[in-house]
Amino acid sequence: MENASIYIHIPFCSDKCIYCDFYSLTKSEHLIDDFVSMLCTEIDLTCKKNETKPLIKTIFVGGGTPSLLTSKQLEKIIKKINKNFNIDNLKEFTLEANPGEFEINKMKEFKSLGINRLSFGVQSLNDKTLKNLTRWHSKSECISSFNNARKAGFCNINIDLIFGVPQQLNTDWKNDLKEVIKLNPEHISAYSLTVERKTKLYNLVKAGRIVMPDEESDIEKFQTAIQTLTEAGYQHYEISNYSKFNRECYHNMQHWHRNPCYAFGPSSHGFLNSKRYWNVSNIKDYMKSISLNELPIENEEILTNENIFNEIIINGLRLRTGIVINKIQNDYSSKTFQNFKKKTLDLHKYIEVDESCVKLNKDGIMIADQISLELMSCFNE
Ligand SMILES: C[S@@+](CC[C@H](N)C(=O)[O-])C[C@H]1O[C@@H](n2cnc3c(N)ncnc32)[C@H](O)[C@@H]1O
Ligand code: SF4
């Protein structure tokens, strides 16, 4: 299998942020050793029928907070991956880390184990915004963690930022961006704060105790991000992602290009043999399945032609490279292609069409979801 990737979900955090709906347990560090053993068994179970070791291009250890792992625990996982996969030509090995919770010595050890990219959940460099997000690290801890990562030898670092936080002014957001640019990371992800169901934030908004910013100010902050970051030399290569030249996140690119992905850990999502599958989002159920030598898969979805078409439209529109026209012409019915061509003409105010690609222009990018829906309606068997 060419160009496959691996995602590993580490479901532990020191505390729970009010806005986060990713699966993670708090104050459960005592479970990590057992979890790592189960994760290793899950990798063995997944690969036991393989005759050759699948070739892996990228690994992403996400969470939760993978920087809570000890070097020994991470080494155990990597040894297990190495036993079951061919990682000789690994292009990128990312680990997510929380600022203020990642000592420089551990950073050095992780680097010597093969991690070559760090993704820091900075979120903001304004102490008031951090407090409103219920983050427990300060601006100065973010900066010192970042500088320590440089000292430890990491030359590929991402910083995650969140905008659209209650009480955050556009000037606060501009300052966040300026402060981050001063740090000079290779990659920046800037997400608009989403109110997810089953989070504390959702309940607080519903009860009227927190008021979310309106759509207009969200759009303003998105435009501020695009302008400030592109002026600073970052390429806006995907709706929420900006990078220096040649420093795109290859792992995410694998996902957007619909390449295969092995997924390990509770709540992780994988994509193998044209099937999307996802693991149970409960550590007890996860451990129980594996201890019975069963994969902890909650469910799977075999993609129909229409599902695949929709994924190509959604992912293509997110990317600066756009939707490859040949792909629609060659892989779908002539009716679908005719519909697609007509729709792109109708939507000329929001998209750019060149000889090979269809992509969103600066107005279209603000309403990407609407344009996706319009183009998805072109599918015809
Ligand atoms: C699941 S977190 C894991 C990384 C790490 N634990 C952290 O918090 O920094 C990955 C990223 O998702 C983003 N994120 C999580 N929940 C979000 C939400 N409700 N809205 C926008 N971004 C969110 C944050 O920027 C975060 O850094
Ligand atoms: S945002 Fe990160 S640190 Fe906060 S709860 Fe989610 S995974 Fe944990």
Side-chain angles (χ1 to χ4, degrees), residues 258 301-312 379:
R258 308 186 60 261
E301 185 185 9
I302 300 169
L303 300 181
T304 61
N305 279 343
E306 185 170 6
N307 296 147
I308 297 171
F309 179 80
N310 290 347
E311 288 188 359
I312 290 170
F379 180 81

Side-chain angles (χ1 to χ4, degrees), residues 7 9-10 12-13 15-24 60-67 96-99 101 119-123 133 135-137 158-163 189-196 199 201:
Y7 174 76
H9 191 78
I10 307 294
F12 301 97
C13 290
D15 211 340
K16 193 82 200 165
C17 307
I18 51 166
Y19 55 86
C20 177
D21 76 339
F22 287 79
Y23 176 65
S24 68
F60 194 102
V61 188
T65 309
S67 48
E96 281 186 333
N98 277 22
E101 294 187 297
S119 176
F120 276 115
V122 165
Q123 321 308 353
L133 283 169
R135 299 292 289 189
W136 46 94
H137 53 77
N158 167 57
I159 286 185
D160 276 349
L161 293 176
I162 294 185
F163 62 91
S189 301
Y191 303 111
S192 162
L193 180 62
T194 318
V195 182
E196 306 284 358
T199 60
L201 179 62

Side-chain angles (χ1 to χ4, degrees), residues 79-145:
K79 278 191 174 154
K80 190 54 81 180
I81 292 175
N82 205 10
K83 182 183 151 240
N84 287 285
F85 295 97
N86 178 346
I87 54 170
D88 293 347
N89 290 316
L90 198 63
K91 198 171 162 83
E92 188 183 271
F93 194 165
T94 305
L95 180 127
E96 281 186 333
N98 277 22
E101 294 187 297
F102 199 18
E103 292 299 313
I104 185 161
N105 286 336
K106 202 196 261 192
M107 291 182 189
K108 287 180 184 163
E109 286 161 11
F110 278 22
K111 180 149 191 302
S112 68
L113 290 171
I115 302 293
N116 61 16
R117 183 174 184 270
L118 289 181
S119 176
F120 276 115
V122 165
Q123 321 308 353
S124 172
L125 285 172
N126 173 316
D127 283 328
K128 195 180 97 201
T129 308
L130 286 170
K131 196 162 165 264
N132 286 340
L133 283 169
T134 65
R135 299 292 289 189
W136 46 94
H137 53 77
S138 62
K139 168 187 174 179
S140 69
E141 281 171 316
C142 292
I143 294 174
S144 62
S145 281

